[in-house]
Amino acid sequence: MEISIEDKVKIASEFLLSSPPGEVNDVFNDIRTLVDNDTALESGILNTLEEYNTTQLITVTLPDLDYEVIVSKYNTLQDNRYLDPRSQKSFQFDHIRLIASDVKEHTVEPAIEDLRVAVEKEALGYVYNHYSNGVCSVYGVNEHQVAIAIVDNKYNPNNYWNGRWLATWTYDCETGELKGATKVQVHYYEDGNVQLNSEKTTESTVSSHQVSVPMLLLMNLFLPFFRMWWIQQKPS
């Protein structure tokens, strides 16, 4: 029995969501051949690509900016627009071509902005000192919560491997709740096909009197979690 176009697109979407770091275009080109219907494929996988790009913290450089901006669930606006809180600009994002366009000024939520800026300053310094290709964005999620997104990609297709480090952290200044998720993905495909997908989630509650500057709280907490997590990954 012949598979319908709808089912082909559904299967193709699952392949895309499983794409290794830096290889989503290769997977797309392969499934494009299999589906053999560009119109149905492009219209059917837009939501899948949006999910992939925001989950994988895909980065894009806006016109007239000298740094990369992360595309994530934390900076999603309406009508397929995203916010760069650092420049206070919003932009349209093409999830197929990975291009930003129609950049506009955007008014941010003032209630959390001072905290967000303080966190951003420390987080950018941390990423600069600890990640060779790291990109960081800090968001004001609501009036009392900030989120940090960090991604570091290392692509080495000439030696048949690619890798990605992903980390997201949220801190609620009212409840003191700190939540973190760190993921490592590596694909090695010389003389075989080996993938590493590892994830560590962390939760902690810290009262406000324990630290005077919220960013010191975040830095002092998640650095030990990173180190502890890596130690746990090492073979005995």
Side-chain angles (χ1 to χ4, degrees), residues 72-195:
S72 76
K73 66 179 182 179
Y74 297 112
N75 60 332
T76 302
L77 304 174
Q78 295 179 341
D79 301 323
N80 198 36
R81 297 190 66 84
Y82 294 84
L83 171 67
D84 172 30
R86 186 172 167 188
S87 66
Q88 297 190 10
K89 297 180 185 294
S90 70
F91 57 94
Q92 198 88 23
F93 186 69
D94 188 325
H95 285 281
I96 294 180
R97 296 167 182 82
L98 305 182
I99 296 173
S101 62
D102 192 25
V103 179
K104 298 179 180 179
E105 298 292 331
H106 185 88
T107 302
V108 299
E109 173 59 53
I112 198 69
E113 184 62 9
D114 288 346
L115 174 61
R116 192 204 66 77
V117 171
V119 172
E120 180 182 76
K121 179 180 178 180
E122 298 296 332
L124 289 174
Y126 164 75
V127 170
Y128 177 80
N129 290 323
H130 292 84
Y131 297 81
S132 58
N133 301 296
V135 180
C136 174
S137 291
V138 180
Y139 314 101
V141 180
N142 51 45
E143 293 183 355
H144 52 84
Q145 190 178 61
V146 294
I148 304 174
I150 299 172
V151 60
D152 193 346
N153 299 305
K154 182 65 175 179
Y155 304 144
N156 198 342
N158 291 335
N159 289 314
Y160 307 101
W161 65 267
N162 297 300
R164 175 175 292 146
W165 171 289
L166 303 165
T168 56
W169 295 84
T170 59
Y171 173 65
D172 191 311
C173 58
E174 285 191 348
T175 65
E177 185 177 58
L178 175 69
K179 292 183 178 181
T182 305
K183 299 179 182 179
V184 174
Q185 301 171 321
V186 179
H187 183 210
Y188 177 77
Y189 49 97
E190 182 179 21
D191 299 327
N193 187 358
V194 180
Q195 293 195 49

